Amino acid sequence: MELGRPTGLGCCAGELGAGDGRVCAQANAPREAGHVLGGGTGFVGRALTQLLRSRGHEVTHISRQGGKDRISWDELSHSGLPLCDAVVNLAGENVLNPFRRWGDAFCREVISSRVETTKTLAKAIADAEQPPCAWVLVTGIGYYRPSPMAEYTEDSPGGDFDFFSRLVSSWEAAALIPGSPARSVVVRSGVVLGQGGGAISQMLWPFRLGLGGPLGSGLQPFPWIHIRDLTGIVCHALESECVQGILNGVSPSSPATSNGTFAQELAAALRRPALLPVPAWAVRAVFGAERAVMLLEGQRVVPKRTLESGYHFIFPDLSGALKDIVA
């Protein structure tokens, strides 16, 4: 996919016919009505905002408080969705925040920040007189059961075996809008790698000091994606009129990447050793047993439909991705 030239955003004719008689905003708008982003001020949201604006799209964030180029969640609930071409939800409390104890209160925050924000946006889209043409939700590959051998595509089953898989199921169910003319896409993201945030930000200093290493055995799969590819997939979904359904947001090489391989590649990019594995008991002590599964186990996820949709990865290989990030 070329990301140098802005393109228009429209709806496939067949999708309009399947709706409730309404047409999407762009069909009646004299100019682009812009994109609305939930979670637009987070790590991925900032990168997506920059990409969309560089391609000529106007962007409005939904946040706790309104202001320039933003509306509050309360405004959205009371006044409805502003006229827009597309809506994206990236909102979600950081599950792996090491400063938050894993308990009932934090679990409720994790659920609410994902499921309730998605319900709020879905309702606003359903109630809009002129719904957006596209509705994109970014969830996670926690939908798929951790396994050292199984490979999962977008058509693989999951979503029903632990807290995180059921969370993704509820999250994605909250986005459903029966009869809506809005084209719906769900991107199931892997571990997002990039400068200035995400997983790398917590690992960089130990590795720079030569104190980095794999987590646990290091044999567990490590499903990853560069932030420029995750935002690129979302942009591709917004601008490609016939992309819909589930897309796996992982690198094509991630099924062959283990946590140990990642540790070695990150150390090599920094020209440091990776000799100090973090014991599994230490990971469980910091994050709790339930969250530790996300770090000590993993899934081999294949971006089958993402590639079939015509998206071309900027960073398909881990070594290139890490060199870009630590440069």
Side-chain angles (χ1 to χ4, degrees), residues 97 103 106 114-115 119 154 156 159 161 166 174 176 183-184 193 199 223 238 240 244 266 276:
N97 183 344
F106 187 47
R114 289 163 170 77
V115 177
K119 283 181 180 177
E154 291 88 348
S156 298
F161 57 88
R166 289 189 287 272
L176 297 175
R183 179 171 51 85
S184 178
L193 307 178
L238 292 170
S240 301
Q244 58 184 341
L266 178 55
L276 296 174

Side-chain angles (χ1 to χ4, degrees), residues 117-129:
T117 59
T118 301
K119 283 181 180 177
T120 299
L121 281 167
K123 183 178 186 304
I125 293 169
D127 292 344
E129 187 175 333

Side-chain angles (χ1 to χ4, degrees), residues 151 221-222 224 251-259 261-262 299-301:
E151 286 196 351
F222 186 78
W224 65 275
S251 161
S253 67
S254 75
T257 305
S258 68
N259 186 273
T261 302
F262 169 77
Q299 305 93 331
R300 299 186 188 277
V301 181

Side-chain angles (χ1 to χ4, degrees), residues 49-181:
T49 297
Q50 184 178 15
L51 175 60
L52 291 173
R53 286 176 174 163
S54 75
R55 293 177 63 74
H57 301 296
E58 296 180 8
V59 177
T60 299
H61 292 160
I62 311 171
S63 59
R64 289 183 178 87
Q65 295 185 333
K68 186 178 185 299
D69 296 328
R70 66 180 59 196
I71 61 173
S72 70
W73 288 100
D74 284 342
E75 286 179 77
L76 179 70
S77 296
H78 294 127
S79 304
L81 190 69
L83 183 68
C84 60
D85 291 331
V87 176
V88 181
N89 194 21
L90 302 159
E93 178 72 26
N94 178 12
V95 174
L96 291 175
N97 183 344
F99 303 108
R100 296 295 304 274
R101 189 180 68 83
W102 188 248
D104 289 344
F106 187 47
C107 281
R108 285 193 294 271
E109 280 185 50
V110 166
I111 295 168
S112 176
S113 64
R114 289 163 170 77
V115 177
E116 296 307 318
T117 59
T118 301
K119 283 181 180 177
T120 299
L121 281 167
K123 183 178 186 304
I125 293 169
D127 292 344
E129 187 175 333
Q130 287 184 269
C133 289
W135 164 216
V136 178
L137 176 67
V138 178
T139 65
I141 49 83
Y143 178 86
Y144 307 111
R145 184 184 294 274
S147 168
M149 299 302 296
E151 286 196 351
Y152 299 106
T153 71
E154 291 88 348
D155 297 320
S156 298
D160 59 356
F161 57 88
D162 67 2
F163 172 85
F164 296 107
S165 66
R166 289 189 287 272
L167 171 61
V168 177
S169 289
S170 299
W171 197 358
E172 294 179 0
L176 297 175
I177 313 171
S180 173

Side-chain angles (χ1 to χ4, degrees), residues 16-34:
L16 287 173
D20 57 8
R22 296 173 295 169
V23 295
C24 69
Q26 195 184 36
N28 292 332
R31 59 178 179 80
E32 181 181 300

Side-chain angles (χ1 to χ4, degrees), residues 148-231:
M149 299 302 296
E151 286 196 351
Y152 299 106
T153 71
E154 291 88 348
D155 297 320
S156 298
D160 59 356
F161 57 88
D162 67 2
F163 172 85
F164 296 107
S165 66
R166 289 189 287 272
L167 171 61
V168 177
S169 289
S170 299
W171 197 358
E172 294 179 0
L176 297 175
I177 313 171
S180 173
R183 179 171 51 85
S184 178
V185 181
V186 172
V187 180
R188 291 179 181 151
S189 173
V191 178
V192 184
L193 307 178
Q195 292 180 344
I200 289 285
S201 66
Q202 297 178 19
M203 303 177 192
L204 212 48
W205 279 111
F207 274 85
R208 285 194 190 279
L209 295 171
L211 302 175
L215 300 178
S217 70
L219 299 176
Q220 66 272 31
F222 186 78
W224 65 275
I225 187 167
H226 192 290
I227 191 168
R228 285 181 60 192
D229 278 315
L230 180 57
T231 58

